[in-house]
Amino acid sequence: MPGDDASSPAPPHSSTPLARAERFIWLTARVLEQRRFAFHFLGGEADAVDTALGSYLNADGGYGHALDPDLRGPLSHPLHTAHALRILDGLGRCAGQRIERLCRHLTRVSTADGALPVVLPAPHGYPGAPYHPVYDDPPGALLTTGPVVGVLHRNRIWHAWLFRATDFCWERVENLRRADPYEVQSAVAFLDGAPDRARAVAAADRLGRLVREQRLVVLDPRRRREYPPYPGCAPGEQLFPHDVARRPESLARGWFTDEELRRSLDFLAAGQQQDGGWPVRRLAWAPGSSLERRPIATLEALLTLRAYGRPL
């Protein structure tokens, strides 16, 4: 019927960024991202998000089934766990027996130093992004351990697993000399939740100086060509101030001047594409992963803009 076609003209109210994003979400997103959008922007119920997230939960207490679109297949991986905890944190539901069970799972899959790898060894070669290789004996990684530990501490979770994992994060963060941009994001996620606030502030101050010295974040989007991509990253795969200081209360906010952050947020707001979604600035390695990643990027963009008081 006329008007049912996805390519039909959008209604007049869709001129707002939020309305265009809503249309994009309904057209392209998984049920989980649809429910998250409804919760954060349309007054939807947290229970609906929780139910959708539960479909990714495995019997071992971990999350799988491509919750993070970079790892396909049903198996539980720490990268999925980090994604699940961010969602639960946004719902205010990072507590209870579910988290206790998850911590037991984390204890079982941790490396010898008490940290989490990115990807666990798997008996079946399910597809995954080439930048997340599978090892027979994977090392602990700040990429996954930092965000998981940070969220658990921020929610005042106390579990035996956290002691060694927290020590691992402190050691990695305080001894970073040559970080990659995604390690910086993970370090900030840890520091923003770390219970020792004085130590976190000192570590963040040192890390912020390192970020600026090594030009890991593009401080002026108009001059982004002066910031070559980090080795191994795709062309255009760069981080901006809003990518590391996602909320104004983040310790990383202090790394940037008001003008640098304003330019970054202007760049983020202008990045909304004609279809209403935001782009994904990383290697496109599989059609399904790319399609599922864009609604997630769109949600993150909207949440960051709202956190800084930008009109939607």
Side-chain angles (χ1 to χ4, degrees):
M1 294 178 61
D4 288 345
D5 193 320
S7 63
S8 61
H13 73 276
S14 68
S15 59
T16 68
L18 184 62
R20 297 202 308 274
E22 180 181 355
R23 179 174 173 81
F24 172 78
I25 291 292
W26 297 133
L27 284 172
T28 67
R30 303 181 296 191
V31 172
L32 176 60
E33 281 70 54
Q34 292 177 11
R35 297 298 198 183
R36 290 182 66 202
F37 181 89
F39 171 76
H40 287 292
F41 298 102
L42 302 177
E45 295 293 328
D47 285 348
V49 184
D50 217 337
T51 299
L53 180 62
S55 67
Y56 295 88
L57 184 63
N58 282 323
D60 61 7
Y63 289 85
H65 306 279
L67 175 58
D68 185 300
D70 277 346
L71 299 177
R72 318 305 294 179
L75 302 181
S76 298
H77 288 291
L79 196 65
H80 298 316
T81 295
H83 193 86
L85 284 173
R86 284 196 297 272
I87 294 171
L88 291 170
D89 187 39
L91 298 178
R93 293 191 169 187
C94 192
Q97 292 185 353
R98 165 174 45 197
I99 300 301
E100 175 71 24
R101 186 165 176 252
L102 181 61
C103 286
R104 292 199 298 268
H105 167 74
L106 298 178
T107 302
R108 292 192 297 269
V109 302
S110 291
T111 58
D113 51 9
L116 297 172
V118 176
V119 183
L120 297 174
H124 189 291
Y126 292 106
Y131 41 82
H132 293 317
V134 178
Y135 299 103
D136 291 334
D137 186 18
L142 185 61
L143 183 70
T144 44
T145 313
V148 168
V149 171
V151 167
L152 292 177
H153 277 311
R154 185 163 59 252
N155 286 274
R156 301 181 183 277
I157 301 299
W158 295 103
H159 188 276
W161 175 79
L162 274 168
F163 290 100
R164 294 184 66 208
T166 301
D167 288 343
F168 171 89
C169 291
W170 280 124
E171 192 279 329
R172 286 295 176 94
V173 170
E174 292 179 329
N175 290 284
L176 279 176
R177 296 294 180 268
R178 181 67 186 174
D180 73 54
Y182 296 111
E183 273 190 317
V184 171
Q185 284 186 310
S186 297
V188 171
F190 165 68
L191 293 172
D192 281 347
D196 189 336
R197 300 313 296 154
R199 187 176 180 183
V201 168
D205 182 64
R206 189 192 72 83
L207 184 59
R209 293 195 301 270
L210 180 147
V211 163
R212 296 183 74 95
E213 290 167 2
Q214 298 185 5
R215 299 171 65 81
L216 296 177
V217 174
V218 178
L219 299 178
D220 187 346
R222 298 167 300 183
R223 304 171 64 181
R224 60 188 302 186
R225 291 185 179 181
E226 299 176 14
Y227 294 80
Y230 192 83
C233 291
E237 188 177 356
Q238 298 163 304
L239 294 185
F240 299 83
H242 66 263
D243 290 313
V244 291
R246 291 177 171 171
R247 300 185 62 84
E249 62 267 25
S250 171
L251 290 174
R253 170 63 184 89
W255 300 353
F256 311 109
T257 67
D258 290 347
E259 178 62 18
E260 287 167 347
L261 186 64
R262 182 193 65 76
R263 288 195 299 255
S264 181
L265 292 170
D266 286 347
F267 175 75
L268 175 62
Q272 187 176 26
Q273 298 184 325
Q274 188 173 4
D275 61 4
W278 267 261
V280 175
R281 298 190 306 267
R282 64 172 65 187
L283 177 68
W285 67 276
S289 179
S290 298
L291 287 171
E292 293 172 0
R293 179 68 65 184
R294 280 197 68 206
I296 296 173
T298 297
L299 277 166
E300 290 176 349
L302 292 169
L303 289 169
T304 297
L305 290 169
R306 186 174 69 179
Y308 281 98
R310 290 299 184 103
L312 297 176

